[in-house]
Amino acid sequence: MKTLCLLAMLCSAFPTIAVRDQVVPCVVRIETAGGLEKVGKNWAIPVTTGVVVGEDGWILSSSVGFAHEPSAILVCLADGSRLPAQRVGTDGHRRLALLKVTLPEGKTLPVVRVAAKTSFAVGQDCMALGRGADGKAVSLSVGILSAVERMAGLAIQTDAAISPDNYGGPLVNARGEVMGILTPFGMENDSPYSGVELYDSGVGFAIPMEDALAILPRLKEGNLEPPPALGVAFNHPNPVFSDTVIFWVQKGSLAEKQGLAKGDQILRVNGQDVRRGIDVEKVLAQNYAGDSLKIDYKRQNEEKTVVFPLTL
């Protein structure tokens, strides 16, 4: 019986190693220098991980590794070569950073395979990879996909161990496809280090890779900022349990400026039907500062529509 158990354990390890080796060539170490020593109460993170998303030198990472505004960035590729990099854009909403390295003539980089969001299933096996601790080898932690549609629908959740070393690294499924980019999220959304306190807690997050690639063209143009809050509250403090009838409007908010008032019922946001407060939050979370928002709402028995930019 002991022999059979040992064989089972060995067999189960081989797929993990095989999957790891598929993704390793696309995982890079990122070193930063200069900038601030501390951001608020948090020390700068000088070494982190990134994932190759373009064979011509485009790399995605977590923005937390660049919150200290480093003056120099060095990327260590899987083959051991070290190249200077430029931070082209930062997504302050999804907490991603896009880097670009200039490759020697004729050199290309291997690019990850991407897992479709439709394939995500709570309970499926996954692993978190990082190259922050050691440029020559990757770190690996195994877990499950513990939740989807977290952080207003922006992130997926895993119990695999997440730390500053593998922020920016990939969350990978059992087929060697990258499900998402590891990045911290917490309750203090105004802090660039929010979520770092959950280090190794069994609660870690990743931005789905499909979503990250969808905003890549915009990131190549520069920084993306979170949209301002709409400035409304519904009839339950937990938006999961509330309907979309406005209970309170914040003075000076976007909602007040657009004429929304207590008692109005939000019906659709950007053409998507909404039934609960959380539905409104999820649609809003897909936007960035400066994007246009369309809200259809009902006041008494009359439907009204307002279209406005997400700027205060």
Side-chain angles (χ1 to χ4, degrees), residues 103-237:
L103 300 172
E105 186 176 352
K107 183 179 178 67
T108 59
L109 300 180
V111 180
V112 295
R113 294 186 296 120
V114 180
K117 288 174 66 177
T118 53
S119 70
F120 294 173
V122 173
Q124 75 180 95
D125 293 331
C126 58
M127 65 183 74
L129 299 180
R131 202 185 281 276
D134 184 352
K136 296 180 180 179
V138 296
S139 61
L140 183 152
S141 59
V142 177
I144 62 168
L145 183 68
S146 51
V148 296
E149 297 289 317
R150 295 302 311 278
M151 311 312 294
L154 293 179
I156 54 178
Q157 182 177 310
T158 180
D159 66 349
I162 310 297
S163 72
D165 284 339
N166 58 13
Y167 290 153
L171 185 69
V172 184
N173 66 18
R175 294 185 295 274
E177 299 165 334
V178 173
M179 303 170 71
I181 300 290
L182 302 167
T183 193
F185 278 93
M187 299 305 294
E188 298 179 11
N189 292 327
D190 58 340
S191 167
Y193 285 98
S194 178
V196 173
E197 69 277 4
L198 298 176
Y199 163 54
D200 273 353
S201 68
V203 179
F205 299 100
I207 299 298
M209 196 60 162
E210 271 193 354
D211 294 345
L213 293 181
I215 57 137
L216 206 58
R218 297 183 67 174
L219 267 179
K220 289 180 179 180
E221 298 297 321
N223 296 336
L224 297 172
E225 298 297 334
L230 186 58
V232 300
F234 300 108
N235 60 4
H236 195 285

Side-chain angles (χ1 to χ4, degrees), residues 24 41-42 49 58 69 107 123 155 162 180 217 231 241 247 285-286 300 303:
V24 162
K41 298 180 180 180
N42 297 276
T49 299
W58 292 102
E69 297 294 333
K107 183 179 178 67
I162 310 297
F241 302 114
F247 177 75
Q286 299 306 310
Q300 296 178 348
E303 282 199 24

